[in-house]
Amino acid sequence: MHTSISRLIRETIPAMAPVVVLFCLLVVLAEFVFAQDDECIILQNKIESGSDLSPRAQKILFSCRNRQDDGHFTEAAKVMNDWIIGHPGQPHHLLYFNLAISHMGLGQSTEARDNLESAVA
């Protein structure tokens, strides 16, 4: 996943540097920024794990990540996009972040940027 993140950052820096940096500080690198005590560590684990997602959304996220790991970015993007569209009242940063990773795997940096903006929002 770190390769995908560095590629995402490298390809979107000119237009999205502030959003990417903010996202990394708040979500990906929360351990280094916020992990001051046990309460912060618990919050960080909740943010990164998706434990606040419904069990079905967790399965969708897991399925998407597996497809990304196998290089099937089109399938991963479709699964995640279908879930997000079908559940508009349940936005979650990990869903949008993983959709962005899938778009980057497909070379769709504009779509990836839009989903990163949604993840940060």
Side-chain angles (χ1 to χ4, degrees):
M1 184 156 153
H2 293 295
T3 305
S4 298
I5 292 171
S6 57
R7 180 174 172 214
L8 181 66
I9 291 171
R10 184 177 63 250
E11 292 185 18
T12 59
I13 286 274
M16 291 302 301
V19 172
V20 172
V21 170
L22 179 62
F23 183 81
C24 289
L25 288 175
L26 293 176
V27 177
V28 179
L29 300 176
E31 161 180 292
F32 302 111
V33 178
F34 298 112
Q36 302 291 326
D37 56 25
D38 291 340
E39 191 174 314
C40 288
I41 292 171
I42 291 168
L43 178 60
Q44 173 196 344
N45 289 335
K46 181 179 176 182
I47 289 169
E48 292 177 358
S49 70
S51 62
D52 55 337
L53 288 167
S54 70
R56 181 68 182 134
Q58 288 178 2
K59 288 179 184 177
I60 295 295
L61 182 61
F62 181 76
S63 173
C64 177
R65 287 179 176 169
N66 282 337
R67 288 180 170 128
Q68 290 169 343
D69 290 344
D70 293 340
H72 302 289
F73 296 106
T74 301
E75 293 173 21
K78 180 172 177 10
V79 165
M80 193 57 65
N81 196 46
D82 289 349
W83 176 263
I84 290 170
I85 289 171
H87 300 83
Q90 301 174 13
H92 195 277
H93 62 278
L94 287 177
L95 303 177
Y96 284 104
F97 178 73
N98 277 279
L99 184 54
I101 294 293
S102 295
H103 283 297
M104 284 308 301
L106 295 169
Q108 301 169 341
S109 57
T110 302
E111 290 86 351
R113 182 193 67 222
D114 294 343
N115 285 301
L116 278 178
E117 287 175 349
S118 296
V120 172

